[in-house]
Amino acid sequence: MGMKLKIGLLASGNGSNLQAIIDRSEQGLLDARVVCVVTNRADAFALERARRHGIPAIHLSHRDFSSREEYDASLVKLLREHGVQLVVLAGFMRIITRVLLEAFPAAVMNIHPALLPSFPGLDAQRQALEHGAKLAGCTVHFVDEGTDTGPIIIQSAVPILPDDTVESLSHRILLREHQSYSRAIQLYALGRLAIQGRRVIITGEHALGESSLSNPAVSQ
Ligand code: GRF
């Protein structure tokens, strides 16, 4: 238990990714555990989810700080107090700065509900639908100073179906997010991720090979 990787998770809203990580951790499927949850919004349901599992839940309002850097310095202090080793952004609706990144080098992850570099930023699922894309998905990546630009760890694709709405597509993607984030965290916990430039090398991983996902299906 004490040897498990200590995760500090930052969220702003519902926290379904947080829940998925907590559940897998409690089931013994992760060599990691969430040691604190910080939100910038007092009404984030993620806080309630953390409390239900006995995890310290902290509201740190960005309104109490005059700059992003000062906010991040306060975040760093909190995360360090809890012995955090990996910072997991899960629906955290704030731009983070070098202050956080330099305190946790190569140890800040994010999840984005699109196959990056397509559709970065806000409303990614709506962007994909409106573009007429046939595949959507999610991306887990290390965070750098850009918005949704850091080295990619895992991508998982889902089809966009003819009757999809933003809600139906978001739900389909979210289920993949829950699987993908836990997988990325486990690979990190096992020391199997190495960043080489823009690439993340995953040791001992079986690649997908020649199999693929097409929408609509294509014959070989
Ligand atoms: C997810 O779609 C995530 O990719 C995006 O914000 C959403 C957070 O959902 N960054 P939840 O709060 O984890 O339920």
Side-chain angles (χ1 to χ4, degrees), residues 9 11-19 46 49 89-93 110-114 121 125 137-139 148 170 173-174 177-178 181:
L9 189 139
S12 298
N14 182 27
S16 72
N17 278 288
L18 165 66
Q19 189 69 56
R49 292 185 192 270
L89 310 183
F92 187 58
M93 301 299 284
N110 182 43
I111 192 160
H112 182 73
Q125 303 95 330
C138 63
T139 303
D148 304 322
S170 298
I173 294 171
L174 205 49
E177 292 186 36
H178 298 163
Y181 224 162

Side-chain angles (χ1 to χ4, degrees), residues 134-136 156-159 176 208 210-218:
K134 297 295 190 197
L135 292 174
S156 186
V158 300
R176 292 299 181 89
L208 204 48
E210 296 298 308
S211 76
S212 65
L213 171 61
S214 301
N215 178 37
V218 294

Side-chain angles (χ1 to χ4, degrees), residues 147-175:
T147 300
D148 304 322
T149 52
I152 291 170
I153 303 165
I154 294 182
Q155 296 191 295
S156 186
V158 300
I160 295 180
L161 302 177
D163 294 334
D164 264 337
T165 60
V166 172
E167 289 69 32
S168 65
L169 177 60
S170 298
H171 178 73
R172 190 174 307 121
I173 294 171
L174 205 49
L175 298 178

Side-chain angles (χ1 to χ4, degrees), residues 10-216:
L10 311 186
S12 298
N14 182 27
S16 72
N17 278 288
L18 165 66
Q19 189 69 56
I21 293 163
I22 291 173
D23 290 347
R24 283 168 175 77
S25 180
E26 288 186 350
Q27 289 161 20
L29 301 174
L30 285 182
D31 293 300
R33 64 194 175 97
V34 181
V35 296
C36 67
V37 172
V38 186
T39 75
N40 63 311
R41 294 181 52 115
D43 61 353
F45 188 56
L47 289 171
E48 176 61 22
R49 292 185 192 270
R51 288 189 199 107
R52 287 179 187 174
H53 292 267
I55 298 167
I58 302 143
H59 169 227
L60 190 66
S61 176
H62 54 274
R63 298 206 184 95
D64 296 338
F65 299 85
S66 52
S67 71
R68 291 189 195 284
E69 287 76 12
E70 283 172 52
Y71 182 74
D72 281 6
S74 190
L75 268 180
V76 167
K77 187 165 175 286
L78 268 176
L79 296 168
R80 287 215 168 116
E81 280 167 7
H82 287 86
V84 166
Q85 297 166 290
L86 175 67
V87 180
V88 168
L89 310 183
F92 187 58
M93 301 299 284
R94 300 287 303 166
I95 293 171
I96 64 159
T97 69
R98 304 166 70 116
V99 173
L100 182 69
L101 295 174
E102 286 170 4
F104 292 94
V108 183
M109 280 186 193
N110 182 43
I111 192 160
H112 182 73
L115 296 174
L116 292 170
S118 294
F119 314 125
L122 293 175
D123 283 326
Q125 303 95 330
R126 181 182 301 279
Q127 290 184 55
L129 265 182
E130 289 180 353
H131 191 84
K134 297 295 190 197
L135 292 174
C138 63
T139 303
V140 183
H141 63 92
F142 284 110
V143 176
D144 64 11
E145 284 181 53
T147 300
D148 304 322
T149 52
I152 291 170
I153 303 165
I154 294 182
Q155 296 191 295
S156 186
V158 300
I160 295 180
L161 302 177
D163 294 334
D164 264 337
T165 60
V166 172
E167 289 69 32
S168 65
L169 177 60
S170 298
H171 178 73
R172 190 174 307 121
I173 294 171
L174 205 49
L175 298 178
R176 292 299 181 89
E177 292 186 36
H178 298 163
Q179 299 170 325
S180 303
Y181 224 162
S182 290
R183 181 78 186 128
I185 289 166
Q186 180 63 2
L187 289 169
Y188 185 93
L190 295 176
R192 291 175 54 189
L193 302 180
I195 303 175
Q196 291 182 7
R198 282 214 48 83
R199 290 195 186 187
V200 176
I201 310 301
I202 306 176
T203 55
E205 192 60 17
H206 297 287
L208 204 48
E210 296 298 308
S211 76
S212 65
L213 171 61
S214 301
N215 178 37

